[in-house]
Amino acid sequence: MLHPKSGHDERVVMSPMPELPNVVFDEASDAADPNLSLITTDPPAVLPYQPNPQATTTQSQAARARESIPTACLACRSKHLKCDGARPCARCRASGSDCAFVASRRGYKGPKRGGGGGARGASQQKHHPNKRRATSPLSQDGSSSTDFFAAVAPAPAPSVTQPGVAMCLASKGRGGGGSSQSPSSSGPVTPGSSTSVSQTFRVLGAGDTDGSTWDMSPQDRSVSTKSSSLSLAERCFESFYFHFHAAHPFVLPKDFMVRFLHDPSLEPLLSAMRWVGSLFIDVPAARNSLFDEAWQRVHEPQNARDGFLVQAMMVLIVGMDGVTLNERARELLLEVEKLAVEIALNTRPFAMFHGRGVPVLEESWRRTWWDLLVIDGMIAGVHRMTTFALYDTPTDVALPCEEHEFLSGAIPPPRYLEDLEDQEFLDDSAPPFSSFAYRILCARNLGKLMRTPPITDPADDNLVRVETLLTNWRLHLPPSKRNPLDGHTGRVDEMLFQAHMMLHATSIILHQPHSQLDSSPAANITSCAPHQAVKANARPAFNPHTRHTIEAATAISRLVTLPVPSLTTHTHFFTCVLTLSSIVHLSKWALHFVQYDDDDLRQLLRLNVGALSELARVWPAADRSRGQVRGVASEVYKAKKSVQAGPQFWFGLTREQVMSSIAADDGIIEDVSSS
């Protein structure tokens, strides 16, 4: 058609309609976030063709755009070499290197504001129902003008959803071969190595995925497609939730987190989650870059000093402590403690003011404060290098609910710490507190021990007072909470597991200095805490403190026998508690005058060393502890053999007793060395 004034041909060249996945749109769920409303159909639904008057790209331009390489793999990027974009690329195939891709942020300017204004904007939204909407501005109290959740409970699990929330199948083995890989602590993050939320979590069918169906059932966590369709960032995101989240459950549950992915304030948290998730899967070449990216993002000056930044730091602290970056983890712990108090995370109104009217987000903020207190206590207890500063910080934050309530979003009315500490005076008909609440009480009991003046006399009233706290914790547990194994589901309650773990560790710290178990044979076990000398009592009979110490160490070893898919699903702090238990077992083995069941002690040491070997598949700290325990066991064995060389050692024993004792010692050292 000729323009009436210029006479030029004003013909508009329309771009071809892009191929759409076989989907329909659920308008009800689209109100919350259109990117979460895709569901499969069989047979495929046909969407009407809607011409876009703004499209001016020719077919050849579109083809060239499709042929361009959006990013280079990490190996090529680090060497500044051209990458062909194949998965794996030609260079990595030739060199046998791991080929990992992280989406680039180059040119990314954040999520686009959609639709324009007035009728024209409304028309465009109608024609493009899968277009991402911009985040609504926050009000003065931190809430959003847009209700992100249409209901309290998560939306029904779609059979096709964002690939970033698909369960990761890329892990090779339970530990992913990450036992010896420690993240780099130096070097800047290259501009192309960062991963934006909008690029990482694409709508299925619009990226490089194959359109397969994902089963989002939280019970079996199964998938029905190839793991190769997931990018590195997506695999790490899934790995974080599958392997780590249950041990420190303060980040939003995955079904809710995916609705916040377009919020730019989550970038530091997502970066930290990706790095920790990478520790559990077989991507050793990418871990250094992911750690550098997470560290840099957490420390960017423009970051909002909010609860999401606190969560990002907490995720990093736990991961860094597990990969033996202990000093940097402690420095970051000091930073996050100051930030938490600065933003008033320790106060009751914080959850309401910053919860955006969403109960599950309010619960996440409450859990963030309490899990930070537990992490602070665990680091202080197992490393004995910090002071548990948050124990003295005043707080009136409500207690967390049960885990299944948090995961479903059905948050009950909150309860408070003063009720928990006075629970023996409550009505018997009152419902039990959550497992998380009893975990908090154990952390506070550890804090009370750490605030106790030095105890030099075994009859000190302070020692009796702390033991009374530990005994009362056990006595006042509801019947349903007395075993970490849930009697209804048959699964381990991770919060109760950690509570019992802290209880027994506190008992060892309290009683071991006054026991008859000389710790000097284990002086070289310093992987978790410096050696603390114990003045052993020379009397041949066990005193009560020795009995308390041995029983607590035995109970820790028994925790290993609880049925879990992998010990790596427990908090990594279990490593140091196992090490503490092993020191007790080795001290007992080193005794020459005590009669004990050699086979029982042999099995307990085997449990501990075997558990450390399992944890070492992910956590280098566990590998270091295992090596030291093995070394001390070898020294104890040599010392016992030296003492047994004298004929007076066997005086009064029969030949059978002598042979049995020698065989038991040989069996213990063989088992420990081979685990």
Side-chain angles (χ1 to χ4, degrees):
M1 179 179 69
L2 296 178
H3 193 279
K5 292 185 179 181
S6 64
H8 295 297
D9 190 353
E10 295 293 318
R11 189 178 296 114
V12 177
V13 180
M14 302 300 297
S15 63
M17 182 63 180
E19 294 183 6
L20 296 174
N22 297 331
V23 300
V24 293
F25 297 95
D26 181 2
E27 294 181 357
S29 61
D30 184 54
D33 189 337
N35 288 335
L36 297 177
S37 59
L38 300 179
I39 56 176
T40 56
T41 60
D42 188 16
V46 179
L47 299 181
Y49 173 78
Q50 297 287 350
N52 184 357
Q54 301 298 322
T56 58
T57 306
T58 63
Q59 295 185 14
S60 60
Q61 290 173 327
R64 285 195 298 271
R66 287 192 297 268
E67 294 170 0
S68 65
I69 304 303
T71 185
C73 70
L74 290 176
C76 293
R77 185 183 300 165
S78 63
K79 299 176 183 178
H80 302 285
L81 298 174
K82 185 176 181 181
C83 182
D84 61 9
R87 303 194 180 208
C89 71
R91 295 183 187 276
C92 289
R93 285 199 305 271
S95 61
S97 304
D98 291 330
C99 193
F101 284 82
V102 176
S104 174
R105 284 176 64 90
R106 185 171 299 163
Y108 174 66
K109 300 179 181 178
K112 297 181 179 179
R113 300 287 177 178
R120 178 180 178 182
S123 174
Q124 290 179 353
Q125 288 289 354
K126 181 178 180 180
H127 291 169
H128 298 279
N130 63 333
K131 185 175 181 180
R132 179 177 294 278
R133 296 191 180 102
T135 306
S136 299
L138 299 181
S139 59
Q140 292 295 328
D141 64 354
S143 61
S144 173
S145 58
T146 299
D147 184 5
F148 284 77
F149 299 160
V152 172
S159 55
V160 172
T161 186
Q162 295 168 316
V165 295
M167 179 47 54
C168 175
L169 286 185
S171 175
K172 296 182 179 180
R174 286 178 289 186
S179 60
S180 60
Q181 184 71 21
S182 179
S184 170
S185 58
S186 61
V189 181
T190 58
S193 66
S194 57
T195 308
S196 74
V197 176
S198 61
Q199 289 171 327
T200 300
F201 302 97
R202 300 175 298 276
V203 179
L204 189 61
D208 58 356
T209 53
D210 61 2
S212 301
T213 300
W214 295 96
D215 182 0
M216 290 297 295
S217 171
Q219 285 76 21
D220 55 18
R221 300 289 188 179
S222 62
V223 292
S224 56
T225 189
K226 299 177 182 178
S227 61
S228 60
S229 64
L230 294 176
S231 70
L232 172 65
E234 293 159 354
R235 293 169 61 193
C236 294
F237 179 87
E238 294 294 337
S239 174
F240 172 87
Y241 276 104
F242 186 75
H243 295 283
F244 183 86
H245 184 259
H248 293 279
F250 54 89
V251 175
L252 279 169
K254 184 172 65 173
D255 290 341
F256 292 97
M257 175 64 83
V258 295
R259 305 189 182 195
F260 278 86
L261 292 178
H262 56 289
D263 189 335
S265 64
L266 262 70
E267 280 292 349
L269 173 58
L270 291 171
S271 297
M273 291 166 59
R274 287 192 289 266
W275 172 63
V276 168
S278 74
L279 299 175
F280 296 88
I281 58 178
D282 191 16
V283 288
R287 291 193 190 114
N288 290 352
S289 297
L290 290 170
F291 174 75
D292 289 338
E293 176 188 352
W295 182 262
Q296 178 173 311
R297 292 215 176 181
V298 162
H299 291 92
E300 286 177 347
Q302 68 271 24
N303 282 339
R305 296 180 68 77
D306 59 7
F308 289 124
L309 184 59
V310 170
Q311 291 182 340
M313 290 180 170
M314 290 168 61
V315 171
L316 274 183
I317 287 167
V318 177
M320 291 166 64
D321 193 81
V323 299
T324 69
L325 295 177
N326 306 95
E327 289 298 328
R328 296 181 70 184
R330 283 193 284 271
E331 293 172 3
L332 192 58
L333 179 61
L334 292 176
E335 291 182 37
V336 75
E337 288 171 350
K338 293 178 181 178
L339 175 58
V341 175
E342 173 190 320
I343 66 176
L345 184 65
N346 59 314
T347 63
R348 187 176 302 182
F350 183 91
M352 179 180 65
F353 287 159
H354 301 276
R356 307 185 186 184
V358 181
V360 72
L361 183 57
E362 294 178 8
E363 171 70 10
S364 176
W365 295 139
R366 293 190 287 266
R367 286 167 168 261
T368 300
W369 166 255
W370 288 119
D371 214 281
L372 179 58
L373 179 132
V374 170
I375 290 171
D376 190 17
M378 285 184 175
I379 289 178
V382 300
H383 295 308
R384 305 179 203 178
M385 298 290 288
T386 56
T387 62
F388 197 179
L390 292 185
Y391 174 77
D392 299 314
T393 303
T395 181
D396 58 355
V397 177
L399 295 172
C401 62
E402 294 286 9
E403 299 311 294
H404 67 88
E405 294 170 330
F406 181 48
L407 295 177
S408 68
I411 310 300
R415 304 171 75 180
Y416 296 93
L417 184 62
E418 53 267 26
D419 297 326
L420 176 63
E421 293 185 326
D422 297 331
Q423 59 180 315
E424 60 269 21
F425 304 111
L426 296 178
D427 187 354
D428 292 339
S429 62
F433 288 87
S434 68
S435 300
F436 201 135
Y438 289 107
R439 173 179 179 242
I440 293 169
L441 201 56
C442 273
R444 288 179 56 82
N445 288 340
L446 175 60
K448 290 175 183 177
L449 170 60
M450 297 187 69
R451 293 297 180 270
T452 301
I455 300 173
T456 57
D457 184 356
D460 193 314
D461 288 342
N462 287 320
L463 190 152
V464 176
R465 188 175 296 112
V466 176
E467 176 56 41
T468 300
L469 289 172
L470 301 181
T471 303
N472 274 331
W473 186 90
R474 289 189 293 263
L475 291 177
H476 292 284
L477 275 179
S480 60
K481 304 287 185 183
R482 291 176 184 171
N483 193 321
L485 190 66
D486 191 314
H488 298 290
T489 65
R491 298 175 182 173
V492 172
D493 185 329
E494 179 64 24
M495 296 296 94
L496 277 180
F497 176 93
Q498 292 184 26
H500 284 275
M501 178 189 82
M502 283 190 282
L503 172 80
H504 302 313
T506 304
S507 183
I508 291 176
I509 296 171
L510 175 66
H511 291 287
Q512 187 181 21
H514 311 287
S515 73
Q516 296 159 284
L517 298 174
D518 182 10
S519 64
S520 58
N524 291 330
I525 302 180
T526 59
S527 56
C528 289
H531 171 254
Q532 293 185 344
V534 175
K535 186 177 180 180
N537 192 318
R539 291 179 301 172
F542 275 3
N543 63 23
H545 302 289
T546 306
R547 181 61 58 191
H548 275 295
T549 304
I550 291 176
E551 287 180 353
T554 301
I556 290 170
S557 299
R558 300 298 183 199
L559 290 175
V560 178
T561 65
L562 293 173
V564 290
S566 170
L567 291 175
T568 57
T569 59
H570 294 312
T571 177
H572 102 84
F573 293 109
F574 190 38
T575 291
C576 287
V577 175
L578 282 169
T579 305
L580 188 63
S581 170
S582 299
I583 291 173
V584 174
H585 293 327
L586 291 170
S587 299
K588 181 181 176 182
W589 186 33
L591 293 177
H592 307 302
F593 60 84
V594 179
Q595 297 295 324
Y596 55 84
D597 191 326
D598 292 319
D599 188 62
D600 281 352
L601 183 61
R602 173 182 179 181
Q603 297 305 325
L604 294 175
L605 275 170
R606 286 187 68 189
L607 279 174
N608 283 16
V609 177
L612 289 172
S613 297
E614 178 78 6
L615 291 166
R617 298 185 182 185
V618 173
W619 302 112
D623 189 47
R624 187 170 64 179
S625 293
R626 176 185 58 175
Q628 291 186 357
V629 169
R630 283 175 170 175
V632 169
S634 178
E635 293 299 321
V636 170
Y637 177 74
K638 292 177 182 177
K640 293 196 73 172
K641 286 299 181 184
S642 176
V643 173
Q644 292 170 359
Q648 68 277 8
F649 181 82
W650 306 107
F651 180 77
L653 299 179
T654 66
R655 176 179 176 82
E656 289 73 16
Q657 290 174 322
V658 171
M659 297 304 296
S660 175
S661 179
I662 293 175
D665 287 339
D666 291 344
I668 289 175
I669 192 62
E670 180 181 354
D671 290 338
V672 170
S673 300
S674 61
S675 295

